[in-house]
Amino acid sequence: MSALDSRALTSLDCFGQRFSKPGRTRYTVGGPLAACVETDELPFSITVQRPGDNSAQRQHDVEVRQVRGGFTVATPQLEIAAGDVVIWHAAAADTPPYGVWGLDESDGSFSSAALRDAAFYGHVFGAAGEYAWQDANGGTACGVVRVCDVDSRDRKACERWREELKQGSIVTVEGSKVEPAELSVVVGQTVLFAVAGSEGLAITDTSLIRLSQ
């Protein structure tokens, strides 16, 4: 089962970043500690162009794939418009945990392990229970996600469950302020953590933090 941890993305997670200014971004995909490894090897690029007069903001999906000895992406060179969002995800269930880290010529660095402005982390909760989370990078932001099970013997309950799965839930994190701080969802539902005004947030199950201490 995939853990709630933006530092180690799996097929049940995604990482997104909005690029607001024209310029060029170089990035890499590596193991969970990719952001902690100083490297000039940034093989993938995103070219951010000025948007047209009538262009709407778009979402660009980048699939992460495992290769021998590391990772690659389905679109190594991507062209987008300023204001667009790029989302990294792994389609294969057996993809090992990974991280995304890069350098933006205009906005500095970005990382799935240190979420800053206009970044988000999505996680599919596959098992019922209560998941307390906090910032593994030392910030004070924290919250709770309660995941409710469904009685598969109850047809009406199953129908309600299918409808709820269609609805995404969003948690907004701005500095230390979390809204809502407590959230209830159903098994299989995705929660999106949208981050703004952070110095580098890692959304992590508190049980994982205790284990590392």
Side-chain angles (χ1 to χ4, degrees):
M1 185 62 63
S2 173
L4 176 65
D5 192 351
S6 64
R7 302 171 301 175
L9 306 174
T10 71
S11 61
L12 295 182
D13 302 307
C14 69
F15 162 61
Q17 181 68 53
R18 184 181 302 279
F19 295 89
S20 58
K21 300 177 181 178
R24 186 168 182 265
T25 293
R26 296 183 301 121
Y27 73 94
T28 187
V29 178
L33 296 179
C36 296
V37 179
E38 295 184 3
T39 178
D40 293 326
E41 295 183 11
L42 303 172
F44 313 124
S45 68
I46 300 171
T47 301
V48 184
Q49 302 173 335
R50 294 187 181 278
D53 294 337
N54 299 316
S55 61
Q57 294 179 350
R58 295 177 55 199
Q59 173 181 307
H60 305 266
D61 295 325
V62 175
E63 182 182 339
V64 175
R65 300 171 179 172
Q66 181 186 17
V67 294
R68 182 177 299 178
F71 298 88
T72 188
V73 294
T75 314
Q77 285 80 43
L78 180 65
E79 292 187 2
I80 67 174
D84 287 359
V85 173
V86 179
I87 298 178
W88 288 267
H89 64 93
D94 60 351
T95 303
Y98 66 94
V100 180
W101 177 80
L103 287 173
D104 188 300
E105 292 177 349
S106 301
D107 294 333
S109 64
F110 68 95
S111 169
S112 55
L115 308 172
R116 295 184 172 88
D117 285 332
F120 65 83
Y121 163 62
H123 180 75
V124 179
F125 286 86
E130 183 171 289
Y131 298 83
W133 65 269
Q134 65 186 82
D135 179 9
N137 292 338
T140 58
C142 60
V144 176
V145 178
R146 296 183 178 89
V147 183
C148 305
D149 211 343
V150 59
D151 186 353
S152 59
R153 299 167 299 180
D154 186 333
R155 178 174 295 180
K156 290 185 177 181
C158 289
E159 291 176 355
R160 289 194 300 270
W161 173 71
R162 287 193 294 268
E163 288 301 315
E164 289 189 62
L165 284 184
K166 299 176 184 178
Q167 304 173 13
S169 293
I170 298 178
V171 174
T172 301
V173 184
E174 186 170 358
S176 61
K177 182 180 179 181
V178 180
E179 182 62 39
E182 298 187 12
L183 176 69
S184 294
V185 298
V186 295
V187 170
Q189 198 164 1
T190 299
V191 176
L192 203 64
F193 298 85
V195 179
S198 171
E199 295 182 358
L201 176 75
I203 295 168
T204 306
D205 192 311
T206 55
S207 63
L208 298 177
I209 298 175
R210 289 195 297 268
L211 287 174
S212 63
Q213 292 175 339

